[in-house]
């Protein structure tokens, strides 16, 4: 079986370095908001080219804390993609603000910048572009709208570690960004983890307090904060793996390039990146009207695939009030998308096998 993602094989490469770092944490005896977290925050900020990276417990908390720090809440609207993982939208709802859904571009799967302005109202406070599947949103129009209407840009960079737009990395394209380090990400830890990045001094200080019960000094609470901290073990795993991120992303690009050049099945719609070299291919998403049959066919031939995502946010029970809304482009993507294996530890033989198998797929009768 060719796994969709072999996390054991990915992390085994770093065993020796992680063992050394874990021993130092045990010897140090400091497990939360210690030297390892500070080191990773500094290194990740330098990698992205931003002033601040603040480690938090997970990607959802990262977005939640940014919205909370800006004070957005009931009566405020925040524009989000209709085609995204539900966490993006949950962060808005968690703060009492209203998510306003905008359809994606069918070619990039990201929010369509040309459809945003018509959704802006006097209540709109921010836009959350999600860099889905590892490709940065085309930001030029979003920057213009943010300036025109005095809006904040909050990037959801959970799937785009190292991706770029116009020479700048995601996490450095807006006012603030939220990252997830869930184990399956391009930069993943061995549990849950996340970070907020920003160049805003005041916002960074507020986020640091909010993640720690609203406190910057023990037992002195400036805000009504939460408990959302990146622990020392996860921080050190991330710091060990960070220097290899660009190399791993380049291997993903090699695999994606091979797929795009060699998958010739007319039943399969391939992804169409606007800049192949800036995409980090967290997900290689193909589309077919016969997804169920394709997934079964791939499994029968020893290839594990995944779906990102089977049900769009507006069809989830959590947002039952949206059930009657129509987002046809998003619905089509969620109905047809299938993710092929792609990871830095895939062999050339595995990549070739996936390609050969999918080229042999025929329409069900």
């Amino acid at each position: 079986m060719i796994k969709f993602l072999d996390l054991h094989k990915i992390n085994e490469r770093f065993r020796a370095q992680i063992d050394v770092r874990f021993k130092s944490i045990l010897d140090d005896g400091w497990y939360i908001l210690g030297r390892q977290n500070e080191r990773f925050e500094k290194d990740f900020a330098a990698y992205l080219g931003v002033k601040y990276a603040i480690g938090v417990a997970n990607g959802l908390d990262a977005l939640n804390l940014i919205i909370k720090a800006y004070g957005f809440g009931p009566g405020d609207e925040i524009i989000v993609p209709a085609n995204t993982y539900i966490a993006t939208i949950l962060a808005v709802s968690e703060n009492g603000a209203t998510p306003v859904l905008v359809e994606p571009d069918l070619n990039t799967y990201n929010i369509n910048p040309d459809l945003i302005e018509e959704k802006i109202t006097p209540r709109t406070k921010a836009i959350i572009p999600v860099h889905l599947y590892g490709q940065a949103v085309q930001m030029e129009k979003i920057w213009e709208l943010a300036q025109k209407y005095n809006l904040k840009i909050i990037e959801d960079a959970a799937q785009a570690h190292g991706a770029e737009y116009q020479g700048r990395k995601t996490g450095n394209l807006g006012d603030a960004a939220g990252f997830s380090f869930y184990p399956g990400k391009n930069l993943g830890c061995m549990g849950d983890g996340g970070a907020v990045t920003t160049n805003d001094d005041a916002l960074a200080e507020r986020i640091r307090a909010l993640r720690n019960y609203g406190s910057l000094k023990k037992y002195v609470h400036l805000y009504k904060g939460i408990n959302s901290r990146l622990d020392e073990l996860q921080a050190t795993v991330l710091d060990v793996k960070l220097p290899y991120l660009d190399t791993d992303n380049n291997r993903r690009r090699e695999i994606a390039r091979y797929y795009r050049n060699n998958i010739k099945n007319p039943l399969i719609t391939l992804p169409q990146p606007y800049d192949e070299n800036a995409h980090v291919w967290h997900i290689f998403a193909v589309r077919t009207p016969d997804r169920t049959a394709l997934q079964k066919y791939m499994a029968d031939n020893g290839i594990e695939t995944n779906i990102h995502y089977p049900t769009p946010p507006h069809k989830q029970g959590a947002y039952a009030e949206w059930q009657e809304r129509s987002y046809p482009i998003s619905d089509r993507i969620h109905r047809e998308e299938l993710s092929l294996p792609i990871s830095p530890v895939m062999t050339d033989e595995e990549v070739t096998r996936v390609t050969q198998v999918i080229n042999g797929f025929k329409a069900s009768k």
Side-chain angles (χ1 to χ4, degrees):
M1 172 68 76
I2 297 176
K3 291 186 176 181
F4 175 71
L5 187 66
D6 192 338
L7 287 176
H8 179 269
K9 192 174 179 181
I10 286 173
N11 289 318
E12 184 64 26
R13 301 174 297 163
F14 308 106
R15 178 187 288 271
Q17 294 179 71
I18 290 171
D19 282 348
V20 170
R21 292 280 197 102
F22 276 12
K23 184 179 183 302
S24 72
I25 293 172
L26 287 170
D27 292 341
D28 193 32
W30 194 284
Y31 308 118
I32 295 175
L33 296 185
R35 291 184 296 175
Q36 301 299 330
N37 186 69
E38 291 175 1
R39 179 174 178 177
F40 172 66
E41 289 180 340
K42 180 180 177 182
D43 290 344
F44 192 52
Y47 172 77
L48 297 177
V50 297
K51 291 176 69 174
Y52 304 105
I54 303 114
V56 298
N58 54 70
L60 173 57
D61 279 1
L63 295 174
N64 181 20
L65 284 164
I66 295 168
I67 296 168
K68 188 178 183 69
Y70 278 131
F72 301 148
D76 296 330
E77 295 176 351
I78 297 179
I79 291 174
V80 297
N83 177 47
T84 184
Y85 183 56
I86 199 170
T88 314
I89 297 169
L90 289 173
V92 178
S93 299
E94 177 67 19
N95 286 277
T98 300
V100 176
L101 276 57
V102 172
E103 283 270 64
D105 182 308
L106 188 59
N107 292 321
T108 67
Y109 305 128
N110 284 330
I111 192 169
N112 187 335
D114 293 331
L115 301 180
I116 293 176
E117 188 165 20
E118 65 190 52
K119 295 295 183 75
I120 295 174
T121 75
R123 296 180 295 279
T124 306
K125 301 297 183 182
I127 303 169
I128 303 183
V130 179
H131 307 302
L132 200 67
Y133 301 156
Q135 179 165 228
V137 173
Q138 292 171 286
M139 295 293 296
E140 196 71 42
K141 183 69 174 290
I142 294 175
W143 289 334
E144 292 173 5
L145 292 173
Q147 184 174 23
K148 180 178 179 179
Y149 293 101
N150 191 30
L151 306 177
K152 296 296 184 183
I153 297 174
I154 303 170
E155 298 173 74
D156 183 338
Q159 298 186 7
H161 312 76
E164 295 184 356
Y165 182 74
Q166 295 185 1
R168 290 161 57 187
K169 285 188 168 61
T170 58
N172 191 20
L173 300 175
D175 296 285
F179 283 87
S180 167
F181 302 123
Y182 181 78
K185 304 298 186 184
N186 290 33
L187 180 63
C189 52
M190 295 182 180
D192 275 321
V196 172
T197 61
T198 186
N199 292 305
D200 185 325
D201 299 350
L203 182 71
E205 181 168 310
R206 191 173 177 90
I207 295 285
R208 290 189 190 282
L210 286 170
R211 72 171 175 181
N212 187 39
Y213 301 99
S215 172
L216 291 171
K217 180 179 178 182
K218 196 169 185 178
Y219 302 133
V220 177
H221 303 274
L222 303 173
Y223 313 108
K224 296 174 182 175
I226 63 174
N227 175 16
S228 181
R229 302 170 298 198
L230 182 65
D231 68 63
E232 291 290 274
L233 295 174
Q234 303 305 339
T236 204
V237 167
L238 293 166
D239 203 56
V240 164
K241 295 170 74 172
L242 179 60
Y244 303 91
L245 177 58
D246 286 344
T247 298
D248 281 358
N249 284 342
N250 282 332
R251 175 56 179 162
R252 288 174 178 270
R253 291 187 185 105
E254 289 175 0
I255 296 169
R257 189 174 299 114
Y258 186 89
Y259 281 160
R260 294 184 67 247
N261 289 338
N262 292 281
I263 294 176
K264 303 295 185 179
N265 193 323
L267 299 173
I268 307 299
T269 299
L270 295 171
Q272 302 176 41
Y274 62 84
D275 184 349
E276 192 172 46
N277 293 319
H279 200 313
V280 295
W281 301 101
H282 173 61
I283 299 296
F284 191 91
V286 302
R287 297 198 333 269
T288 181
D290 209 355
R291 178 176 65 193
T292 300
L294 176 61
Q295 187 167 43
K296 182 179 185 303
Y297 165 80
M298 299 296 282
D300 289 346
N301 283 275
I303 297 169
E304 186 178 31
T305 59
N306 211 331
I307 299 173
H308 295 86
Y309 302 94
T311 306
H314 68 279
K315 296 294 186 183
Q316 298 284 355
Y319 293 98
E321 66 272 23
W322 295 347
Q323 294 287 323
E324 302 305 316
R325 294 188 186 182
S326 176
Y327 298 98
I329 299 175
S330 183
D331 283 336
R332 180 177 179 183
I333 293 169
H334 286 259
R335 186 171 61 248
E336 297 182 351
E337 191 276 341
L338 189 72
S339 304
L340 302 185
I342 187 166
S343 84
V345 297
M346 282 185 74
T347 66
D348 289 347
E349 291 75 17
E350 288 174 326
V351 176
T352 300
R353 175 62 180 163
V354 172
T355 304
Q356 290 171 341
V357 170
I358 199 168
N359 277 338
F361 175 67
K362 295 179 174 58
S364 57
K365 296 179 182 178

